[in-house]
Amino acid sequence: MSVVITGIGAVTPAGIGIDPLWDSARAGTPLVGAIDRFDASEYACDAAGQAGFDARAELPSRFVKRTDRFTHLSVHAVRQALADAGVTVGDQVTPERTGVMVGNILGGWEFAERELRHLWTDGPRAVSPYQATAWFPAAPQGNICIDQGIKGPARTYVADRASGAYALIGAAESLLRDRADVVIAGGVEAPLSPYGWLCMETSGLGAKSRGSLVPHELYRPFDAGHGGSVFGEGAVFLVMERREHAERRGATILGELAGWGVSTDGYMPYYTVEPTGQVLGRAMRTATERAGITGADLGAVFAHGSGIPFEDVTEGYALHEAFGAAARQLPVTAPKSGFGHLLGAAAPADTALALRAMREGVVPPTVNLDRKAPGIDLDLVAGAARQVSGLEHTLVVSRGLGGVNACLLLRR
């Protein structure tokens, strides 16, 4: 029994849908720019990946009014994913056998901040009655279910930057346990509000603006000038189902989630990671072993690539720990440096890109990788996309604050 992906929906800084995201990643197009959604001039980093999504043009105005932007992004991406898969809930699949799994970190702070200002300036009667239901991380999950009439298993995963990977794993496990026939799984993040951006800054994970670099040059995974992530907003969702279910309804199979592995560093200080990479390496190895392959069978790695020096170096250590000498032969990339680290949506975005990469036999480049950082002993894809023959398996690496590790093994 295997779990396959049959549909993709995306709202990202590249635009609407997987095609513009793939096209920009393949070309190495830089999409990070100066923040224009609020005054970010007093923040350490004033650059981000911004999605040019107009919710009022795509969704009912009453719905937009009572929900946050992260819900808007999610609902639109899910509609796309279902259309791409050719699935209508209540037609090809019953509501009770349809599930939703969402990865998110921050919740809906654009909405919450606005209402907190109302509370501060005008008192509690000025606050929206939708405050409680708009901001919390599970809001997209609930609104997706309402929008699509879904009544099956539904969960929200909050595991820092690995949240989206955990959502995909949760979907696969739900399908394999026969608790659903179709699960819509992915992640979302909308961090572009003054408070949300402050959380990103105080996390210590973000790059700082530097006079020598323009905004789109700040995010530099594995580069000697790496100094942290530049974050972005977006939502990416996948339609997942058991292979036999997908084949029975004649769906186009985009790829298989053939394996996964999780581990936790349990390391202090908790905002760093276990320094040898052994624990992350165990998650990588578990993912490949579950798929019945070895490191020699891997065609590419979509790295977490945070651009945080100790995370970049230990990710390299982990690949060597997991795959030994084969690690030096693996094309490794982190295309997210072109459009921003999408936090809860990062792993689903990498998964969507990896599926397209395997279909086209091309690995997109890591943007802003000019000079390899000391301690990085990997075959990094930089400068331009690379043709890779026989690209049948790709590993997606995701890790979060506190040493949360989740790795996904995709098969073409």
Side-chain angles (χ1 to χ4, degrees):
M1 187 182 296
S2 66
V3 173
V4 298
I5 294 122
T6 55
I8 300 173
V11 183
T12 70
I16 309 298
I18 182 59
D19 287 342
L21 181 63
W22 168 253
D23 290 343
S24 67
R26 191 185 191 285
T29 305
L31 299 171
V32 167
I35 294 172
D36 59 15
R37 296 270 299 282
F38 63 94
D39 181 5
S41 59
E42 294 187 7
Y43 290 76
C45 180
D46 62 358
Q50 301 179 106
F53 177 70
D54 181 1
R56 294 187 182 278
E58 303 289 349
L59 300 165
S61 59
R62 291 182 65 183
F63 177 80
V64 172
K65 183 179 179 181
R66 66 173 186 262
T67 51
D68 183 84
R69 183 170 176 82
F70 80 144
T71 293
H72 308 160
L73 298 172
S74 301
V75 168
H76 194 65
V78 166
R79 289 180 177 183
Q80 287 179 56
L82 287 168
D84 189 39
V87 169
T88 301
V89 179
D91 188 357
Q92 289 85 3
V93 62
T94 65
E96 293 76 13
R97 296 287 294 174
T98 308
V100 174
M101 304 289 162
V102 182
N104 176 250
I105 301 173
L106 288 173
W109 275 101
E110 185 177 79
F111 190 105
E113 277 188 68
R114 183 179 66 238
E115 300 311 318
L116 285 171
R117 289 192 195 97
H118 291 161
L119 174 66
W120 184 257
T121 57
D122 302 316
R125 301 300 171 201
V127 175
S128 167
Y130 301 110
Q131 163 65 22
T133 56
W135 80 271
F136 73 123
Q141 169 196 316
N143 281 290
I144 291 167
C145 290
I146 293 168
D147 188 63
Q148 297 297 329
I150 292 168
K151 300 184 185 303
R155 297 186 187 91
T156 296
Y157 295 81
V158 181
D160 192 54
R161 294 159 291 163
S163 299
Y166 270 88
L168 300 187
I169 293 169
E173 292 179 341
S174 183
L175 289 163
L176 294 178
R177 290 171 182 162
D178 197 28
R179 292 173 179 166
D181 293 323
V182 169
V183 180
I184 304 146
V188 62
E189 211 68 55
L192 289 166
S193 70
Y195 182 78
W197 207 244
L198 185 64
C199 290
M200 292 293 92
E201 181 169 315
T202 57
S203 72
L205 305 177
K208 295 180 180 178
S209 299
R210 287 176 271 178
S212 59
L213 299 175
V214 296
H216 68 75
E217 295 175 331
L218 288 172
Y219 190 9
R220 313 182 68 81
F222 306 114
D223 182 81
H226 52 179
S229 301
V230 174
F231 302 106
E233 62 176 351
V236 179
F237 281 85
L238 313 176
V239 174
M240 301 170 63
E241 47 194 312
R242 288 183 298 280
R243 181 178 291 274
E244 59 268 34
H245 185 271
E247 290 176 343
R248 191 162 55 245
R249 68 180 189 83
T252 299
I253 293 174
L254 305 176
E256 176 186 350
L257 178 54
W260 52 90
V262 300
S263 62
T264 305
D265 286 357
Y267 185 79
M268 282 293 287
Y270 94 109
Y271 55 84
T272 63
V273 293
E274 187 274 319
T276 69
Q278 290 181 356
V279 183
L280 175 60
R282 176 158 51 85
M284 295 173 175
R285 195 165 50 246
T286 301
T288 50
E289 288 175 353
R290 186 180 186 117
I293 66 167
T294 68
D297 300 313
L298 276 175
V301 175
F302 276 59
H304 180 68
S306 67
I308 300 165
F310 59 78
E311 290 196 358
D312 282 355
V313 171
T314 55
E315 189 166 5
Y317 291 167
L319 285 164
H320 284 274
E321 171 71 20
F323 306 122
R328 288 192 176 86
Q329 313 302 321
L330 284 172
V332 177
T333 187
K336 60 169 68 72
S337 56
F339 52 86
H341 196 305
L342 301 185
L343 299 161
D350 278 345
T351 299
L353 289 172
L355 292 171
R356 183 64 70 88
M358 289 190 289
R359 191 178 89 182
E360 300 199 6
V362 173
V363 178
T366 305
V367 177
N368 297 324
L369 177 52
D370 299 325
R371 186 164 55 94
K372 193 185 295 185
I376 305 291
D377 183 18
L378 298 171
D379 179 12
L380 297 164
V381 181
R386 185 188 300 179
Q387 294 281 344
V388 176
S389 61
L391 184 49
E392 297 289 331
H393 298 93
T394 299
L395 181 71
V396 172
V397 182
S398 188
R399 64 198 318 197
L401 204 63
V404 177
N405 306 308
C407 297
L408 309 170
L409 194 287
L410 301 163
R411 179 177 287 138
R412 186 159 73 100

